[in-house]
């Protein structure tokens, strides 16, 4: 894999407040450059949601209502988040969740493409004992030493997913081969058939 052929790509992760549909309480991004995550350029922010964080959500990501008391509301940071995400590919584990939440909060935003590391892992490692992020990190023996934060926080999960993406990408000869396996149907970046192609009668 020639990582120099990759477009600008950000691995993203979001955490919600447990409502349905969820309000954002944390957003994180980390770029991959030359085949490596770049933690120095990572961005992560807590967000004060309009509705309280549920106890169930707190049990998962350990973000409490007290933690976000002084955090900015979404409206005050939405423009900066969109500026960071404009004109890039995004990647996430089970990407339709992150993509759907971000699109609901940023209706004028559309990434250049969406890579789903869950879909990619199922294609690349079909015999893995599981395809959750935890199972794949253990199966691939990816070293998480040095990642700041903890599991189920957006910054940590984005960095871990970036390492997983780089690991899986090594199985593919080209960017096109990778994206063929990694982009869910209907997501940005997925090739569409040429309806103008002539039909042989």
């Amino acid at each position: 894999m020639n990582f120099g052929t990759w477009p600008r790509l950000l691995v993203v992760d979001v955490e919600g407040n447990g409502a349905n549909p969820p309000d954002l309480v944390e957003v994180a991004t980390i770029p991959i450059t030359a085949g490596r995550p770049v933690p120095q350029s990572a961005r992560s922010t807590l967000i004060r949601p309009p509705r309280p964080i549920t106890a169930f959500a707190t049990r998962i990501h350990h973000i409490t209502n007290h933690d976000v008391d002084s955090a900015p509301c979404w409206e005050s940071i939405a423009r900066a988040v969109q500026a960071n995400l404009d004109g890039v590919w995004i990647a996430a584990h089970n990407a339709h969740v992150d993509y759907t939440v971000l699109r609901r909060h940023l209706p004028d935003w559309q990434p250049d493409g969406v890579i789903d590391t869950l879909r990619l892992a199922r294609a690349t490692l079909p015999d893995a004992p599981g395809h959750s992020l935890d199972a794949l990190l253990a199966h691939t023996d990816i070293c998480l030493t040095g990642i700041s934060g903890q599991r189920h926080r957006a910054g940590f999960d984005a960095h871990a997913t970036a390492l997983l993406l780089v690991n899986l990408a090594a199985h593919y000869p080209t960017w096109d081969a990778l994206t063929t396996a990694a982009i869910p149907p209907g997501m940005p970046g997925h090739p569409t058939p040429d309806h103008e192609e002539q039909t042989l009668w």
Side-chain angles (χ1 to χ4, degrees):
M1 170 64 73
N2 178 4
F3 288 100
T5 64
W6 284 31
R8 183 169 174 244
L9 182 145
L10 294 175
V11 181
V12 304
D13 191 78
V14 303
E15 302 297 339
N17 66 339
N20 187 19
D23 301 306
L24 289 169
V25 297
E26 192 172 37
V27 176
T29 64
I30 184 169
I32 294 178
T33 302
R36 294 177 182 272
V38 186
Q40 300 90 338
S41 299
R43 298 185 183 184
S44 181
T45 184
L46 287 171
I47 302 157
R48 187 177 72 253
R51 293 172 288 181
I53 301 171
T54 65
F56 175 78
T58 294
R59 283 197 297 272
I60 295 173
H61 51 50
H62 305 293
I63 302 171
T64 68
N65 287 295
H66 177 71
D67 292 331
V68 298
D69 272 348
S70 58
C73 65
W74 173 250
E75 289 74 17
S76 68
I77 65 167
R79 183 175 297 180
V81 172
Q82 181 162 342
N84 184 41
L85 293 172
D86 273 342
V88 304
W89 281 67
I90 65 166
H93 199 70
N94 202 10
H96 83 275
V97 173
D98 303 80
Y99 172 74
T100 299
V101 172
L102 286 169
R103 281 280 291 159
R104 190 169 68 83
H105 284 76
L106 297 170
D108 296 329
W109 166 74
Q110 183 79 282
D112 286 357
V114 177
I115 286 178
D116 182 6
T117 52
L118 173 58
R119 180 180 178 86
L120 180 62
R122 286 172 172 163
T124 310
L125 305 172
D127 297 325
H131 293 96
S132 69
L133 183 56
D134 286 323
L136 289 164
L137 292 171
H139 180 69
T140 54
D141 200 27
I142 290 173
C143 179
L144 303 177
T145 303
I147 299 181
S148 60
Q150 61 187 13
R151 181 74 173 91
H152 296 298
R153 289 296 299 268
F156 186 99
D157 288 3
H159 195 157
T161 300
L163 292 172
L164 176 63
L165 175 56
V166 170
N167 180 284
L168 296 173
H171 294 262
Y172 294 84
T174 65
W175 168 258
D176 287 345
L178 172 72
T179 55
T180 296
I183 305 173
M187 287 283 189
H190 194 274
T192 55
D194 184 358
H195 294 295
E196 295 182 1
E197 183 178 306
Q198 290 185 347
T199 303
L200 296 177
W201 295 93

mmCIF file of all heavy atoms in Angstrom, residues 13-19 21-28 45-53 61 63 68 71-75 77-78 81 85 97-106 154:
data_model
loop_
_atom_site.group_PDB
_atom_site.id
_atom_site.type_symbol
_atom_site.label_atom_id
_atom_site.label_comp_id
_atom_site.label_asym_id
_atom_site.label_seq_id
_atom_site.Cartn_x
_atom_site.Cartn_y
_atom_site.Cartn_z
ATOM 1 N N ASP A 13 -14.577 10.035 15.866
ATOM 2 C CA ASP A 13 -15.385 9.291 16.831
ATOM 3 C C ASP A 13 -16.245 10.295 17.581
ATOM 4 O O ASP A 13 -15.806 11.421 17.863
ATOM 5 C CB ASP A 13 -14.516 8.512 17.823
ATOM 6 C CG ASP A 13 -15.355 7.547 18.650
ATOM 7 O OD1 ASP A 13 -15.708 6.477 18.120
ATOM 8 O OD2 ASP A 13 -15.681 7.855 19.817
ATOM 9 N N VAL A 14 -17.468 9.900 17.862
ATOM 10 C CA VAL A 14 -18.387 10.761 18.611
ATOM 11 C C VAL A 14 -18.946 9.982 19.788
ATOM 12 O O VAL A 14 -19.057 8.752 19.756
ATOM 13 C CB VAL A 14 -19.541 11.273 17.719
ATOM 14 C CG1 VAL A 14 -19.005 12.028 16.507
ATOM 15 C CG2 VAL A 14 -20.455 10.134 17.268
ATOM 16 N N GLU A 15 -19.285 10.720 20.836
ATOM 17 C CA GLU A 15 -19.999 10.156 21.983
ATOM 18 C C GLU A 15 -21.269 10.966 22.172
ATOM 19 O O GLU A 15 -21.283 12.184 21.948
ATOM 20 C CB GLU A 15 -19.136 10.209 23.247
ATOM 21 C CG GLU A 15 -17.797 9.493 23.143
ATOM 22 C CD GLU A 15 -17.909 7.998 22.916
ATOM 23 O OE1 GLU A 15 -18.978 7.429 23.234
ATOM 24 O OE2 GLU A 15 -16.936 7.398 22.423
ATOM 25 N N GLY A 16 -22.343 10.271 22.586
ATOM 26 C CA GLY A 16 -23.640 10.923 22.719
ATOM 27 C C GLY A 16 -24.155 10.932 24.143
ATOM 28 O O GLY A 16 -23.549 10.358 25.054
ATOM 29 N N ASN A 17 -25.313 11.560 24.308
ATOM 30 C CA ASN A 17 -25.889 11.705 25.655
ATOM 31 C C ASN A 17 -26.889 10.610 25.991
ATOM 32 O O ASN A 17 -27.501 10.632 27.064
ATOM 33 C CB ASN A 17 -26.552 13.073 25.801
ATOM 34 C CG ASN A 17 -27.765 13.245 24.900
ATOM 35 O OD1 ASN A 17 -27.906 12.534 23.907
ATOM 36 N ND2 ASN A 17 -28.633 14.203 25.227
ATOM 37 N N GLY A 18 -27.087 9.657 25.091
ATOM 38 C CA GLY A 18 -28.013 8.568 25.361
ATOM 39 C C GLY A 18 -29.438 8.837 24.928
ATOM 40 O O GLY A 18 -30.291 7.948 25.022
ATOM 41 N N ALA A 19 -29.714 10.062 24.448
ATOM 42 C CA ALA A 19 -31.058 10.367 23.945
ATOM 43 C C ALA A 19 -31.241 9.720 22.576
ATOM 44 O O ALA A 19 -30.297 9.247 21.950
ATOM 45 C CB ALA A 19 -31.254 11.878 23.852
ATOM 46 N N PRO A 21 -33.075 10.833 19.010
ATOM 47 C CA PRO A 21 -31.703 10.719 18.514
ATOM 48 C C PRO A 21 -30.725 11.392 19.476
ATOM 49 O O PRO A 21 -31.109 12.258 20.265
ATOM 50 C CB PRO A 21 -31.754 11.452 17.172
ATOM 51 C CG PRO A 21 -32.843 12.457 17.343
ATOM 52 C CD PRO A 21 -33.873 11.805 18.224
ATOM 53 N N PRO A 22 -29.447 10.972 19.418
ATOM 54 C CA PRO A 22 -28.494 11.467 20.409
ATOM 55 C C PRO A 22 -28.036 12.895 20.151
ATOM 56 O O PRO A 22 -27.929 13.333 19.010
ATOM 57 C CB PRO A 22 -27.327 10.486 20.274
ATOM 58 C CG PRO A 22 -27.399 10.012 18.850
ATOM 59 C CD PRO A 22 -28.862 9.963 18.521
ATOM 60 N N ASP A 23 -27.775 13.596 21.246
ATOM 61 C CA ASP A 23 -27.058 14.856 21.186
ATOM 62 C C ASP A 23 -25.581 14.552 21.418
ATOM 63 O O ASP A 23 -25.227 13.635 22.161
ATOM 64 C CB ASP A 23 -27.547 15.814 22.277
ATOM 65 C CG ASP A 23 -29.037 16.117 22.162
ATOM 66 O OD1 ASP A 23 -29.459 16.535 21.076
ATOM 67 O OD2 ASP A 23 -29.751 15.928 23.165
ATOM 68 N N LEU A 24 -24.714 15.321 20.797
ATOM 69 C CA LEU A 24 -23.288 15.111 20.944
ATOM 70 C C LEU A 24 -22.795 15.613 22.300
ATOM 71 O O LEU A 24 -23.191 16.680 22.763
ATOM 72 C CB LEU A 24 -22.532 15.839 19.837
ATOM 73 C CG LEU A 24 -22.665 15.245 18.430
ATOM 74 C CD1 LEU A 24 -22.105 16.206 17.393
ATOM 75 C CD2 LEU A 24 -21.945 13.905 18.357
ATOM 76 N N VAL A 25 -21.923 14.816 22.917
ATOM 77 C CA VAL A 25 -21.233 15.271 24.130
ATOM 78 C C VAL A 25 -19.717 15.278 23.933
ATOM 79 O O VAL A 25 -19.004 15.867 24.735
ATOM 80 C CB VAL A 25 -21.598 14.429 25.369
ATOM 81 C CG1 VAL A 25 -23.072 14.564 25.691
ATOM 82 C CG2 VAL A 25 -21.213 12.971 25.199
ATOM 83 N N GLU A 26 -19.233 14.631 22.878
ATOM 84 C CA GLU A 26 -17.797 14.667 22.594
ATOM 85 C C GLU A 26 -17.567 14.321 21.125
ATOM 86 O O GLU A 26 -18.215 13.425 20.588
ATOM 87 C CB GLU A 26 -17.031 13.680 23.481
ATOM 88 C CG GLU A 26 -15.527 13.861 23.441
ATOM 89 C CD GLU A 26 -14.791 13.008 24.465
ATOM 90 O OE1 GLU A 26 -15.214 11.857 24.717
ATOM 91 O OE2 GLU A 26 -13.779 13.487 25.004
ATOM 92 N N VAL A 27 -16.650 15.044 20.501
ATOM 93 C CA VAL A 27 -16.243 14.790 19.122
ATOM 94 C C VAL A 27 -14.722 14.813 19.070
ATOM 95 O O VAL A 27 -14.091 15.694 19.666
ATOM 96 C CB VAL A 27 -16.798 15.856 18.151
ATOM 97 C CG1 VAL A 27 -16.268 15.628 16.737
ATOM 98 C CG2 VAL A 27 -18.311 15.846 18.139
ATOM 99 N N ALA A 28 -14.150 13.830 18.365
ATOM 100 C CA ALA A 28 -12.693 13.801 18.214
ATOM 101 C C ALA A 28 -12.334 13.411 16.791
ATOM 102 O O ALA A 28 -13.048 12.632 16.142
ATOM 103 C CB ALA A 28 -12.062 12.813 19.197
ATOM 104 N N THR A 45 -13.098 17.612 21.674
ATOM 105 C CA THR A 45 -13.798 18.600 22.486
ATOM 106 C C THR A 45 -15.023 17.992 23.141
ATOM 107 O O THR A 45 -15.730 17.180 22.534
ATOM 108 C CB THR A 45 -14.214 19.826 21.642
ATOM 109 O OG1 THR A 45 -14.813 20.803 22.492
ATOM 110 C CG2 THR A 45 -15.200 19.447 20.553
ATOM 111 N N LEU A 46 -15.249 18.363 24.391
ATOM 112 C CA LEU A 46 -16.498 18.048 25.064
ATOM 113 C C LEU A 46 -17.546 19.076 24.654
ATOM 114 O O LEU A 46 -17.214 20.214 24.305
ATOM 115 C CB LEU A 46 -16.320 18.076 26.575
ATOM 116 C CG LEU A 46 -15.542 16.916 27.200
ATOM 117 C CD1 LEU A 46 -15.255 17.200 28.660
ATOM 118 C CD2 LEU A 46 -16.310 15.607 27.059
ATOM 119 N N ILE A 47 -18.808 18.666 24.703
ATOM 120 C CA ILE A 47 -19.920 19.525 24.290
ATOM 121 C C ILE A 47 -21.018 19.431 25.344
ATOM 122 O O ILE A 47 -21.338 18.325 25.809
ATOM 123 C CB ILE A 47 -20.468 19.072 22.916
ATOM 124 C CG1 ILE A 47 -19.351 19.107 21.868
ATOM 125 C CG2 ILE A 47 -21.651 19.920 22.491
ATOM 126 C CD1 ILE A 47 -19.602 18.202 20.692
ATOM 127 N N ARG A 48 -21.581 20.554 25.709
ATOM 128 C CA ARG A 48 -22.700 20.564 26.649
ATOM 129 C C ARG A 48 -23.986 20.324 25.871
ATOM 130 O O ARG A 48 -24.403 21.174 25.080
ATOM 131 C CB ARG A 48 -22.757 21.901 27.395
ATOM 132 C CG ARG A 48 -23.803 21.925 28.508
ATOM 133 C CD ARG A 48 -23.775 23.230 29.281
ATOM 134 N NE ARG A 48 -24.303 24.351 28.501
ATOM 135 C CZ ARG A 48 -23.572 25.323 27.975
ATOM 136 N NH1 ARG A 48 -22.258 25.323 28.101
ATOM 137 N NH2 ARG A 48 -24.137 26.307 27.296
ATOM 138 N N PRO A 49 -24.630 19.182 26.063
ATOM 139 C CA PRO A 49 -25.823 18.874 25.256
ATOM 140 C C PRO A 49 -27.052 19.604 25.787
ATOM 141 O O PRO A 49 -27.100 20.014 26.960
ATOM 142 C CB PRO A 49 -25.975 17.352 25.439
ATOM 143 C CG PRO A 49 -25.438 17.107 26.815
ATOM 144 C CD PRO A 49 -24.289 18.084 26.989
ATOM 145 N N PRO A 50 -28.071 19.776 24.945
ATOM 146 C CA PRO A 50 -29.297 20.457 25.400
ATOM 147 C C PRO A 50 -30.117 19.605 26.365
ATOM 148 O O PRO A 50 -30.944 20.125 27.097
ATOM 149 C CB PRO A 50 -30.063 20.712 24.098
ATOM 150 C CG PRO A 50 -29.558 19.677 23.147
ATOM 151 C CD PRO A 50 -28.124 19.447 23.510
ATOM 152 N N ARG A 51 -29.892 18.293 26.352
ATOM 153 C CA ARG A 51 -30.578 17.395 27.281
ATOM 154 C C ARG A 51 -29.537 16.678 28.127
ATOM 155 O O ARG A 51 -28.430 16.423 27.664
ATOM 156 C CB ARG A 51 -31.420 16.378 26.495
ATOM 157 C CG ARG A 51 -32.589 16.980 25.745
ATOM 158 C CD ARG A 51 -33.268 15.978 24.832
ATOM 159 N NE ARG A 51 -32.436 15.677 23.661
ATOM 160 C CZ ARG A 51 -32.802 14.840 22.680
ATOM 161 N NH1 ARG A 51 -33.972 14.222 22.757
ATOM 162 N NH2 ARG A 51 -32.017 14.628 21.659
ATOM 163 N N PRO A 52 -29.855 16.333 29.368
ATOM 164 C CA PRO A 52 -28.861 15.715 30.249
ATOM 165 C C PRO A 52 -28.344 14.381 29.691
ATOM 166 O O PRO A 52 -29.029 13.688 28.939
ATOM 167 C CB PRO A 52 -29.625 15.494 31.558
ATOM 168 C CG PRO A 52 -30.773 16.450 31.506
ATOM 169 C CD PRO A 52 -31.140 16.564 30.059
ATOM 170 N N ILE A 53 -27.125 14.047 30.070
ATOM 171 C CA ILE A 53 -26.547 12.745 29.729
ATOM 172 C C ILE A 53 -27.224 11.688 30.593
ATOM 173 O O ILE A 53 -27.335 11.843 31.817
ATOM 174 C CB ILE A 53 -25.030 12.740 29.982
ATOM 175 C CG1 ILE A 53 -24.348 13.833 29.159
ATOM 176 C CG2 ILE A 53 -24.434 11.380 29.660
ATOM 177 C CD1 ILE A 53 -22.883 14.049 29.509
ATOM 178 N N HIS A 61 -19.297 5.734 28.474
ATOM 179 C CA HIS A 61 -18.152 6.610 28.182
ATOM 180 C C HIS A 61 -17.619 7.374 29.393
ATOM 181 O O HIS A 61 -16.593 8.052 29.285
ATOM 182 C CB HIS A 61 -18.474 7.592 27.048
ATOM 183 C CG HIS A 61 -19.746 8.373 27.202
ATOM 184 N ND1 HIS A 61 -20.084 9.073 28.340
ATOM 185 C CD2 HIS A 61 -20.761 8.596 26.316
ATOM 186 C CE1 HIS A 61 -21.236 9.696 28.168
ATOM 187 N NE2 HIS A 61 -21.680 9.418 26.949
ATOM 188 N N ILE A 63 -18.574 9.978 30.821
ATOM 189 C CA ILE A 63 -18.713 11.433 30.787
ATOM 190 C C ILE A 63 -19.975 11.786 31.567
ATOM 191 O O ILE A 63 -21.057 11.288 31.260
ATOM 192 C CB ILE A 63 -18.816 11.966 29.348
ATOM 193 C CG1 ILE A 63 -17.574 11.558 28.534
ATOM 194 C CG2 ILE A 63 -18.969 13.479 29.341
ATOM 195 C CD1 ILE A 63 -17.706 11.850 27.046
ATOM 196 N N VAL A 68 -19.474 18.234 31.629
ATOM 197 C CA VAL A 68 -19.791 19.114 30.496
ATOM 198 C C VAL A 68 -20.447 20.421 30.930
ATOM 199 O O VAL A 68 -20.884 21.200 30.079
ATOM 200 C CB VAL A 68 -20.682 18.384 29.460
ATOM 201 C CG1 VAL A 68 -19.968 17.171 28.884
ATOM 202 C CG2 VAL A 68 -22.018 17.969 30.071
ATOM 203 N N ALA A 71 -18.559 23.093 29.323
ATOM 204 C CA ALA A 71 -18.207 22.850 27.921
ATOM 205 C C ALA A 71 -19.048 23.740 27.011
ATOM 206 O O ALA A 71 -20.146 24.171 27.374
ATOM 207 C CB ALA A 71 -18.426 21.380 27.570
ATOM 208 N N PRO A 72 -18.551 24.023 25.808
ATOM 209 C CA PRO A 72 -19.344 24.841 24.880
ATOM 210 C C PRO A 72 -20.568 24.084 24.384
ATOM 211 O O PRO A 72 -20.569 22.848 24.317
ATOM 212 C CB PRO A 72 -18.362 25.104 23.732
ATOM 213 C CG PRO A 72 -17.404 23.959 23.789
ATOM 214 C CD PRO A 72 -17.250 23.616 25.236
ATOM 215 N N CYS A 73 -21.613 24.809 24.032
ATOM 216 C CA CYS A 73 -22.762 24.186 23.383
ATOM 217 C C CYS A 73 -22.420 23.945 21.917
ATOM 218 O O CYS A 73 -21.479 24.529 21.376
ATOM 219 C CB CYS A 73 -24.009 25.057 23.525
ATOM 220 S SG CYS A 73 -23.897 26.638 22.675
ATOM 221 N N TRP A 74 -23.194 23.081 21.283
ATOM 222 C CA TRP A 74 -22.887 22.705 19.905
ATOM 223 C C TRP A 74 -22.895 23.916 18.972
ATOM 224 O O TRP A 74 -22.028 24.056 18.109
ATOM 225 C CB TRP A 74 -23.872 21.647 19.411
ATOM 226 C CG TRP A 74 -23.693 21.345 17.953
ATOM 227 C CD1 TRP A 74 -24.531 21.667 16.941
ATOM 228 C CD2 TRP A 74 -22.566 20.696 17.362
ATOM 229 N NE1 TRP A 74 -23.998 21.251 15.743
ATOM 230 C CE2 TRP A 74 -22.797 20.644 15.969
ATOM 231 C CE3 TRP A 74 -21.394 20.141 17.862
ATOM 232 C CZ2 TRP A 74 -21.892 20.071 15.077
ATOM 233 C CZ3 TRP A 74 -20.486 19.561 16.971
ATOM 234 C CH2 TRP A 74 -20.740 19.543 15.602
ATOM 235 N N GLU A 75 -23.852 24.792 19.137
ATOM 236 C CA GLU A 75 -23.988 25.930 18.224
ATOM 237 C C GLU A 75 -22.741 26.805 18.201
ATOM 238 O O GLU A 75 -22.416 27.415 17.176
ATOM 239 C CB GLU A 75 -25.203 26.771 18.616
ATOM 240 C CG GLU A 75 -26.552 26.112 18.319
ATOM 241 C CD GLU A 75 -26.889 24.991 19.291
ATOM 242 O OE1 GLU A 75 -26.259 24.917 20.371
ATOM 243 O OE2 GLU A 75 -27.769 24.166 18.956
ATOM 244 N N ILE A 77 -19.618 25.796 18.487
ATOM 245 C CA ILE A 77 -18.435 25.150 17.893
ATOM 246 C C ILE A 77 -18.723 24.483 16.553
ATOM 247 O O ILE A 77 -17.809 24.000 15.891
ATOM 248 C CB ILE A 77 -17.821 24.098 18.850
ATOM 249 C CG1 ILE A 77 -18.800 22.937 19.071
ATOM 250 C CG2 ILE A 77 -17.401 24.740 20.162
ATOM 251 C CD1 ILE A 77 -18.157 21.740 19.740
ATOM 252 N N ALA A 78 -19.992 24.458 16.134
ATOM 253 C CA ALA A 78 -20.369 23.734 14.924
ATOM 254 C C ALA A 78 -19.584 24.210 13.706
ATOM 255 O O ALA A 78 -19.124 23.388 12.892
ATOM 256 C CB ALA A 78 -21.871 23.873 14.672
ATOM 257 N N VAL A 81 -16.046 22.819 13.829
ATOM 258 C CA VAL A 81 -16.028 21.378 13.563
ATOM 259 C C VAL A 81 -16.218 21.118 12.075
ATOM 260 O O VAL A 81 -15.512 20.300 11.474
ATOM 261 C CB VAL A 81 -17.122 20.662 14.392
ATOM 262 C CG1 VAL A 81 -17.228 19.197 13.971
ATOM 263 C CG2 VAL A 81 -16.818 20.767 15.877
ATOM 264 N N LEU A 85 -13.808 19.293 9.119
ATOM 265 C CA LEU A 85 -14.265 18.104 8.393
ATOM 266 C C LEU A 85 -14.513 18.354 6.908
ATOM 267 O O LEU A 85 -14.682 17.391 6.151
ATOM 268 C CB LEU A 85 -15.563 17.590 9.028
ATOM 269 C CG LEU A 85 -15.459 17.017 10.436
ATOM 270 C CD1 LEU A 85 -16.847 16.732 10.984
ATOM 271 C CD2 LEU A 85 -14.618 15.748 10.450
ATOM 272 N N VAL A 97 -22.926 5.098 12.184
ATOM 273 C CA VAL A 97 -23.363 5.754 13.415
ATOM 274 C C VAL A 97 -22.764 7.157 13.498
ATOM 275 O O VAL A 97 -23.477 8.147 13.660
ATOM 276 C CB VAL A 97 -22.968 4.918 14.650
ATOM 277 C CG1 VAL A 97 -23.277 5.698 15.930
ATOM 278 C CG2 VAL A 97 -23.695 3.585 14.652
ATOM 279 N N ASP A 98 -21.442 7.258 13.377
ATOM 280 C CA ASP A 98 -20.772 8.555 13.473
ATOM 281 C C ASP A 98 -21.198 9.475 12.331
ATOM 282 O O ASP A 98 -21.448 10.666 12.546
ATOM 283 C CB ASP A 98 -19.246 8.351 13.453
ATOM 284 C CG ASP A 98 -18.779 7.437 14.566
ATOM 285 O OD1 ASP A 98 -18.893 6.208 14.409
ATOM 286 O OD2 ASP A 98 -18.309 7.946 15.597
ATOM 287 N N TYR A 99 -21.284 8.907 11.122
ATOM 288 C CA TYR A 99 -21.677 9.696 9.963
ATOM 289 C C TYR A 99 -23.088 10.261 10.131
ATOM 290 O O TYR A 99 -23.342 11.448 9.886
ATOM 291 C CB TYR A 99 -21.590 8.843 8.706
ATOM 292 C CG TYR A 99 -22.164 9.492 7.473
ATOM 293 C CD1 TYR A 99 -21.494 10.526 6.826
ATOM 294 C CD2 TYR A 99 -23.377 9.068 6.943
ATOM 295 C CE1 TYR A 99 -22.019 11.125 5.689
ATOM 296 C CE2 TYR A 99 -23.905 9.657 5.808
ATOM 297 C CZ TYR A 99 -23.225 10.678 5.186
ATOM 298 O OH TYR A 99 -23.750 11.267 4.064
ATOM 299 N N THR A 100 -24.023 9.426 10.573
ATOM 300 C CA THR A 100 -25.413 9.854 10.723
ATOM 301 C C THR A 100 -25.541 10.948 11.777
ATOM 302 O O THR A 100 -26.247 11.945 11.574
ATOM 303 C CB THR A 100 -26.305 8.655 11.090
ATOM 304 O OG1 THR A 100 -26.232 7.678 10.039
ATOM 305 C CG2 THR A 100 -27.750 9.088 11.275
ATOM 306 N N VAL A 101 -24.857 10.779 12.912
ATOM 307 C CA VAL A 101 -24.933 11.782 13.973
ATOM 308 C C VAL A 101 -24.321 13.102 13.503
ATOM 309 O O VAL A 101 -24.893 14.181 13.712
ATOM 310 C CB VAL A 101 -24.234 11.276 15.248
ATOM 311 C CG1 VAL A 101 -24.150 12.391 16.291
ATOM 312 C CG2 VAL A 101 -24.974 10.078 15.828
ATOM 313 N N LEU A 102 -23.166 13.029 12.859
ATOM 314 C CA LEU A 102 -22.523 14.257 12.383
ATOM 315 C C LEU A 102 -23.364 14.949 11.313
ATOM 316 O O LEU A 102 -23.499 16.175 11.312
ATOM 317 C CB LEU A 102 -21.129 13.947 11.844
ATOM 318 C CG LEU A 102 -20.070 13.649 12.905
ATOM 319 C CD1 LEU A 102 -18.812 13.086 12.255
ATOM 320 C CD2 LEU A 102 -19.743 14.908 13.712
ATOM 321 N N ARG A 103 -23.956 14.188 10.409
ATOM 322 C CA ARG A 103 -24.787 14.784 9.365
ATOM 323 C C ARG A 103 -26.023 15.452 9.954
ATOM 324 O O ARG A 103 -26.472 16.491 9.465
ATOM 325 C CB ARG A 103 -25.208 13.706 8.360
ATOM 326 C CG ARG A 103 -24.128 13.350 7.356
ATOM 327 C CD ARG A 103 -24.067 14.373 6.230
ATOM 328 N NE ARG A 103 -25.250 14.306 5.387
ATOM 329 C CZ ARG A 103 -25.671 15.279 4.597
ATOM 330 N NH1 ARG A 103 -25.031 16.436 4.563
ATOM 331 N NH2 ARG A 103 -26.736 15.128 3.841
ATOM 332 N N ARG A 104 -26.563 14.871 11.022
ATOM 333 C CA ARG A 104 -27.736 15.479 11.644
ATOM 334 C C ARG A 104 -27.365 16.803 12.300
ATOM 335 O O ARG A 104 -28.150 17.747 12.311
ATOM 336 C CB ARG A 104 -28.346 14.527 12.684
ATOM 337 C CG ARG A 104 -29.705 14.990 13.200
ATOM 338 C CD ARG A 104 -30.384 13.915 14.008
ATOM 339 N NE ARG A 104 -29.696 13.659 15.252
ATOM 340 C CZ ARG A 104 -29.859 14.382 16.365
ATOM 341 N NH1 ARG A 104 -30.679 15.411 16.371
ATOM 342 N NH2 ARG A 104 -29.206 14.071 17.458
ATOM 343 N N HIS A 105 -26.153 16.873 12.828
ATOM 344 C CA HIS A 105 -25.707 18.103 13.481
ATOM 345 C C HIS A 105 -25.105 19.107 12.489
ATOM 346 O O HIS A 105 -25.021 20.302 12.795
ATOM 347 C CB HIS A 105 -24.682 17.785 14.568
ATOM 348 C CG HIS A 105 -25.281 17.217 15.820
ATOM 349 N ND1 HIS A 105 -25.718 15.913 15.917
ATOM 350 C CD2 HIS A 105 -25.528 17.781 17.021
ATOM 351 C CE1 HIS A 105 -26.200 15.699 17.125
ATOM 352 N NE2 HIS A 105 -26.096 16.814 17.822
ATOM 353 N N LEU A 106 -24.671 18.604 11.324
ATOM 354 C CA LEU A 106 -24.072 19.465 10.298
ATOM 355 C C LEU A 106 -24.774 19.206 8.963
ATOM 356 O O LEU A 106 -24.227 18.568 8.057
ATOM 357 C CB LEU A 106 -22.574 19.175 10.156
ATOM 358 C CG LEU A 106 -21.689 19.438 11.372
ATOM 359 C CD1 LEU A 106 -20.291 18.866 11.144
ATOM 360 C CD2 LEU A 106 -21.615 20.938 11.669
ATOM 361 N N ALA A 154 -13.882 9.674 23.023
ATOM 362 C CA ALA A 154 -13.771 9.896 21.584
ATOM 363 C C ALA A 154 -12.327 9.983 21.115
ATOM 364 O O ALA A 154 -11.969 9.409 20.076
ATOM 365 C CB ALA A 154 -14.535 11.158 21.197
#
